Amino acid sequence: MPGLRNKLTVAGIRATTRTGRHADGGGLYLQVTQHPVLGNFRKSWLVRYRAHSGKIREIGIGSLENVSLAEARETAFRVRLQARQGTDLIEERNRARKEAALRKAREMTFEQCAEAYVKAHQASWRNDKHKAQWTSTLRTYAYPVFGSLPVADITVGLVMKVLDPIWSTKTETASRLRGRIENILDWATVREYRSGENPARWRGYLEKALPAARNKARQIRHHAALPIDEVPAFMADLSAQPGI
């Protein structure tokens, strides 16, 4: 088709169905491929350039539907210019994709990490009741505060916001909850979803913020117990009683 060998034209690139690469000059190509089943044609832009290392590289810069001929020529010029300045766009793109993937991985929420932790450890737990207590306390107290937040963003302030309301009234529950949060955050740190100090750690950390509340916490009151020296007389009286 006229105009496709040396310099592409707007009419030519719209009309062509000739598969292969059509050069526009300056390393810019229109690549036309045909779907093997549907038969429709796909037209996209390709730029060939020599990297600073001397290698010939190729980089796609978009489809014909999204990038006009003028935009493709301008992009091809920038690609060649950056290559001469020592920037390899393919390496830059790959680096950017890896960084984006790493950022996405680090955006794991606390709830997602908690679910993953439970799934990884539940086989070693004693019974289903233990698993139920884990998920119940997290769902009741921790998730409403920071369950949907990235685990990397969990701070001491957020952990305190969970523990403060129940530290003096439900001390045992609060203590176990703190330990569970600590374990989950440690797991997330090992998996590189977060870094830095564990904001739920007790020794040398939360003990500085919560000791007063813990000392004044409601103590567990056990049922009254019979003194050991009174047990024989009690058993004798008990055996004399009718019934079971």
Side-chain angles (χ1 to χ4, degrees):
M1 182 171 291
L4 283 174
R5 285 186 180 177
N6 300 311
K7 206 71 173 176
L8 296 172
T9 65
V10 175
I13 61 177
R14 297 292 182 188
T16 184
T17 57
R18 187 152 49 98
T19 58
R21 293 181 177 179
H22 309 288
D24 182 60
L28 177 64
Y29 292 84
L30 176 68
Q31 182 169 262
V32 181
T33 58
Q34 185 175 17
H35 194 283
V37 178
L38 301 178
N40 58 312
F41 292 91
R42 183 178 183 275
K43 302 173 184 178
S44 59
W45 297 110
L46 186 71
V47 179
R48 284 172 58 90
Y49 65 96
R50 186 179 297 276
H52 191 66
S53 63
K55 294 181 179 180
I56 300 297
R57 310 295 295 267
E58 296 181 350
I59 185 170
I61 59 173
S63 67
L64 177 62
E65 288 76 15
N66 298 323
V67 181
S68 69
L69 176 58
E71 291 171 332
R73 287 171 176 168
E74 181 181 352
T75 301
F77 172 77
R78 290 202 306 269
V79 169
R80 297 195 307 273
L81 178 62
Q82 289 178 309
R84 287 198 298 270
Q85 294 172 344
T87 300
D88 190 329
L89 290 186
I90 292 180
E91 292 181 0
E92 291 292 322
R93 180 181 290 182
N94 291 339
R95 187 180 300 111
R97 287 173 177 171
K98 288 180 181 178
E99 291 176 354
L102 184 59
R103 285 195 301 271
K104 184 176 181 180
R106 288 177 174 172
E107 288 175 359
M108 283 272 288
T109 67
F110 177 83
E111 184 173 350
Q112 289 172 328
C113 287
E115 291 174 350
Y117 180 91
V118 170
K119 184 177 180 180
H121 291 81
Q122 62 184 349
S124 63
W125 290 344
R126 296 185 301 274
N127 50 48
D128 291 339
K129 182 180 180 180
H130 186 64
K131 174 187 173 182
Q133 289 175 338
W134 255 81
T135 55
S136 176
T137 53
L138 291 171
R139 188 179 297 114
T140 301
Y141 302 107
Y143 291 172
V145 176
F146 51 69
S148 61
L149 295 181
V151 71
D153 294 342
I154 306 304
T155 62
V156 175
L158 290 171
V159 175
M160 293 289 290
K161 189 174 181 180
V162 171
L163 298 178
D164 271 338
I166 60 174
W167 192 254
S168 60
T169 58
K170 300 178 180 179
T171 310
E172 189 67 22
T173 298
S175 180
R176 291 177 179 177
L177 175 61
R178 184 210 59 77
R180 289 162 187 168
I181 295 173
E182 181 183 13
N183 287 336
I184 293 166
L185 295 181
D186 277 343
W187 177 91
T189 300
V190 172
R191 295 297 183 110
E192 297 186 346
Y193 297 138
R194 63 172 287 117
S195 60
E197 187 64 75
N198 189 326
R201 181 166 58 85
W202 174 255
R203 188 176 299 277
Y205 212 59
L206 285 189
E207 66 175 345
K208 305 300 182 182
L210 290 171
R214 198 175 191 188
N215 291 337
K216 296 178 181 178
R218 183 180 301 168
Q219 299 297 319
I220 297 175
R221 294 185 178 180
H222 299 284
H223 292 293
L226 190 67
I228 189 65
D229 56 349
E230 297 181 20
V231 171
F234 169 76
M235 296 302 296
D237 289 342
L238 184 63
S239 63
Q241 301 295 323
I244 298 176

